Amino acid sequence: MNATDRTPADLLRSALAADAARPLVTFYDDATGERVELSVATFANWVAKTSNLLRDGMSAEPGDRGALLLPAHWQTAVWLLACASMGVVADVDGDPARADFVVAGPGRFEAGLACGGERYALSLAPLGRRFVPGPPQGYVDYAVEVPTYGDRFVAYAPVDPEAPALVVAGAEFSGAEIVERARAGAAGVGLTGPGSRLLSGLPYDTWEGLRAGLYAPLASGGSVVLCRNLELAGEETVAQRIESERVTATAR
């Protein structure tokens, strides 16, 4: 990645310029059997659409706070980078009552109703399917709305790298701090440069989980095999996955 990158959105742009076709996030859910692989280009497309949804559909502005009531999931990673692209603070497992908007997944919809702003629901079903027959009451279905937005996103003004960008486990980080900590911690989780591939079964509710499951792979030119419900997979299954996905390091 470029030494001039100061925000997570900068890291994604650099990854696109370096090799848009390489895998960035490969997601497994061991409760459903789902496997999804997103190249840098595909991931960036989802981020662009979600960023446009934030700005044009939700009227979000830099400095707004979004409560992300979501597990470790590829769509959560998309929302984290979309918030970074907009200059919106991503508050992971944050208090919906203090948020300008909320994005919630199954099991968190009731809690999310405390938010007085926009509320978006994610089914987290395989392939990002929409809710049938419709989303939970009080919510808009992300899977229905996001495809209607553009594949390119350009912020109206540059995002301030020193402004708050992420809150997780009670700690607040600016965009610049995310980048610096991700770079500094990449080697510690076995990401030694382009081609490194980290299998992470850590949840997204701590900095360590976010570092391993998104930011360090992005900062190092590596990729992540992000596993939800990994505790349901036997050791033989995990070993086979490590081999088939050409994993070079693990965080469990």
Side-chain angles (χ1 to χ4, degrees):
M1 300 298 101
N2 293 333
T4 57
D5 292 339
R6 298 289 312 283
T7 71
D10 292 338
L11 293 176
L12 183 57
R13 282 190 287 271
S14 290
L16 269 174
D19 185 358
R22 71 173 176 84
L24 179 60
V25 178
T26 304
F27 173 75
Y28 281 85
D29 188 334
D30 285 292
T32 66
E34 178 184 10
R35 178 188 183 277
V36 174
E37 183 169 283
L38 288 84
S39 67
V40 176
T42 300
F43 184 81
N45 180 260
W46 275 93
V47 171
K49 285 180 174 293
T50 305
S51 300
N52 283 313
L53 168 62
L54 271 168
R55 184 181 64 194
D56 302 330
M58 301 167 64
S59 300
E61 297 181 352
D64 283 355
R65 179 179 296 255
L68 304 187
L69 308 185
L70 300 167
H73 192 279
W74 68 267
Q75 288 188 321
T76 311
V78 166
W79 273 96
L80 287 164
L81 263 293
C83 288
S85 299
M86 268 292 300
V88 167
V89 181
D91 192 351
V92 179
D93 283 337
D95 181 358
R98 298 180 59 227
D100 297 291
F101 66 89
V102 68
V103 185
R108 306 300 302 275
F109 299 130
E110 184 175 353
L113 291 174
C115 178
E118 298 269 8
R119 305 185 202 103
Y120 274 75
L122 276 63
S123 72
L124 303 182
L127 304 178
R129 290 198 302 266
R130 62 183 60 187
F131 290 91
V132 178
Q137 187 172 3
Y139 285 85
V140 177
D141 190 340
Y142 170 69
V144 172
E145 295 297 315
V146 74
T148 66
Y149 287 88
D151 296 335
R152 296 187 60 214
F153 174 78
V154 179
Y156 291 148
V159 172
D160 180 0
E162 303 300 337
L166 173 71
V167 178
V168 60
E172 182 178 277
F173 305 97
S174 69
E177 287 173 326
I178 293 170
V179 172
E180 290 165 7
R181 290 170 66 96
R183 283 175 172 154
V189 291
L191 291 165
T192 56
S196 297
R197 196 150 162 81
L198 175 66
L199 182 145
S200 176
L202 300 179
Y204 267 6
D205 58 0
T206 65
W207 165 253
E208 290 74 19
L210 291 172
R211 177 186 61 186
L214 177 61
Y215 295 121
L218 191 58
S220 65
S223 60
V224 62
V225 180
L226 182 64
C227 301
R228 184 184 181 202
N229 298 309
L230 187 62
E231 69 278 3
L232 300 179
E235 287 302 317
E236 183 178 351
T237 297
V238 174
Q240 290 173 346
R241 185 173 304 166
I242 288 171
E243 181 178 3
S244 65
E245 296 289 355
R246 300 180 179 179
V247 167
T248 58
T250 62
R252 299 169 60 185

